C-alpha cells in the first residue's frame, strides 16, 4: 500500500472509532444520569404547568436539599407506580410547622425560621388551611406541591410517617440547567460527524489503493 493510502487507512480507523466512542459514550451517560418526563397535573403550578417537558438528574434521595423539586414513586400511597413531582420542604431532622400569619402573609417555618416560598401559586403557602407540626425522621423527606390548594402531598398522609417520604423513593431531581443536556447533544453530533469523516477517509483510502493497483497501459510502439 502506498504511503498516502496507508495514512488515509489509519486515519479513517482512528477518526471513525473516536466518533463512535464519543457518540455512544455521550448517549450512555445521558441514559444513566438523566431522564425526562412530561407534567400531567396542576400540583406544581405555576412553576411547572401540564404539558411542560422536564429534565431530571437520576440522584439518590440523600443528595437532595430543601427547595429541590424531586420525582419519587409511592405506589402504596397513590395507587400507581408512576413518578410524582413535589418540592422538598424538610429533610431528616427538620421541624416543619404550618403556619405563622394568615393569607398571603402566612409562612411555613422550618426549624423555627419562616420559609420564603416565592414559587407557590398566588403566594398562598397554606392552601387548604391544614395545620401540621412535623419533625422529619432521618432518611425521610417532607414534600409539598407548589399549588398548595391543589396538591395531594405530605399534608394528607399524616398517618404514614407524618406524611414524609423515604429518601429511597426518590427517582431524580428536576433541573432547569440545560447546559449538560446541550453538552451531551453536542458530543453526540460531534461523534456522528467524526464517524462520517472516518467513513469518508476510508472511501478515499480505498480509491487511492485502487488507483495504485490498476494496471498501467504500455506505451504504444511505433513500427519503423
Amino acid at each position: 500500500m502506498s504511503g498516502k493510502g496507508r495514512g488515509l487507512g489509519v486515519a479513517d480507523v482512528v477518526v471513525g472509532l473516536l466518533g463512535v466512542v464519543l457518540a455512544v459514550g455521550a448517549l450512555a451517560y445521558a441514559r444513566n444520569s438523566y431522564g425526562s418526563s412530561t407534567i400531567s397535573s396542576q400540583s406544581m403550578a405555576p412553576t411547572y404547568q401540564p404539558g411542560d417537558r422536564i429534565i431530571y438528574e437520576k440522584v439518590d434521595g440523600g443528595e437532595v436539599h430543601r427547595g429541590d423539586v424531586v420525582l419519587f414513586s409511592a405506589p402504596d400511597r397513590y395507587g400507581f407506580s408512576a413518578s410524582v413531582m413535589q418540592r422538598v420542604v424538610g429533610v431528616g431532622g427538620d421541624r416543619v410547622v404550618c403556619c405563622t400569619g394568615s393569607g398571603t402573609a402566612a409562612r411555613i417555618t422550618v426549624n423555627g425560621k419562616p420559609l420564603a416560598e416565592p414559587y407557590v401559586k398566588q403566594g398562598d403557602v397554606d392552601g387548604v388551611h391544614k395545620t401540621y407540626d412535623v419533625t422529619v425522621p432521618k432518611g425521610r423527606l417532607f414534600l409539598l406541591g407548589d399549588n398548595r390548594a391543589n396538591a395531594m402531598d405530605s399534608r394528607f398522609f399524616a398517618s404514614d410517617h407524618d406524611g414524609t417520604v423515604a429518601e429511597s423513593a426518590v427517582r431524580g431531581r428536576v433541573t432547569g440547567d440545560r447546559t449538560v443536556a446541550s453538552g451531551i447533544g453536542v458530543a453526540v453530533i460531534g461523534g456522528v460527524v467524526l464517524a462520517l469523516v472516518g467513513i469518508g477517509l476510508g472511501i478515499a483510502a480505498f480509491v487511492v489503493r485502487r488507483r495504485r493497483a490498476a494496471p498501467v497501459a504500455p506505451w504504444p510502439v511505433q513500427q519503423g
Side-chain angles (χ1 to χ4, degrees):
M1 184 187 297
S2 69
K4 184 176 181 181
R6 185 180 300 109
L8 287 171
V10 172
D12 89 292
V13 173
V14 172
V15 173
L17 284 177
L18 179 61
V20 170
V21 169
L22 181 60
V24 172
L27 288 172
Y29 174 76
R31 182 181 180 85
N32 291 330
S33 302
Y34 291 88
S36 64
S37 185
T38 302
I39 306 303
S40 60
S41 77
Q42 291 279 353
S43 65
M44 286 299 293
T47 312
Y48 301 99
Q49 300 285 357
D52 286 352
R53 192 76 177 171
I54 56 112
I55 296 175
Y56 61 91
E57 305 170 83
K58 296 179 180 179
V59 299
D60 182 83
E63 300 177 55
V64 302
H65 306 90
R66 296 186 209 97
D68 287 344
V69 176
V70 298
L71 295 177
F72 67 97
S73 178
D76 292 341
R77 178 173 292 186
Y78 292 103
F80 53 82
S81 58
S83 294
V84 178
M85 185 168 72
Q86 290 171 9
R87 189 179 296 274
V88 178
V89 174
V91 297
D94 286 342
R95 182 185 179 189
V96 183
V97 180
C98 180
C99 288
T100 62
S102 60
T104 56
R107 292 289 181 271
I108 291 172
T109 62
V110 178
N111 301 326
K113 297 179 180 180
L115 183 65
E117 297 189 279
Y119 40 76
V120 298
K121 188 172 183 178
Q122 299 177 339
D124 184 5
V125 304
D126 189 355
V128 293
H129 309 294
K130 189 177 183 67
T131 62
Y132 47 87
D133 185 340
V134 175
T135 297
V136 183
K138 293 293 185 182
R140 301 187 72 86
L141 305 168
F142 190 83
L143 306 169
L144 297 175
D146 287 356
N147 185 357
R148 299 288 159 80
N150 187 18
M152 189 63 66
D153 48 34
S154 288
R155 296 170 294 174
F156 297 94
F157 300 95
S159 62
D160 179 14
H161 297 84
D162 287 328
T164 60
V165 172
E167 290 178 350
S168 59
V170 172
R171 299 292 175 262
R173 174 174 53 205
V174 178
T175 176
D177 184 2
R178 306 287 173 167
T179 304
V180 174
S182 299
I184 292 171
V186 169
V188 171
I189 293 172
V192 171
V193 170
L194 286 175
L196 292 174
V197 170
I199 292 172
L201 291 172
I203 293 173
F206 175 76
V207 170
V208 169
R209 289 197 297 268
R210 288 292 299 272
R211 286 179 177 175
R212 293 291 183 181
V216 179
W219 289 98
V221 178
Q222 294 182 350
Q223 299 292 327

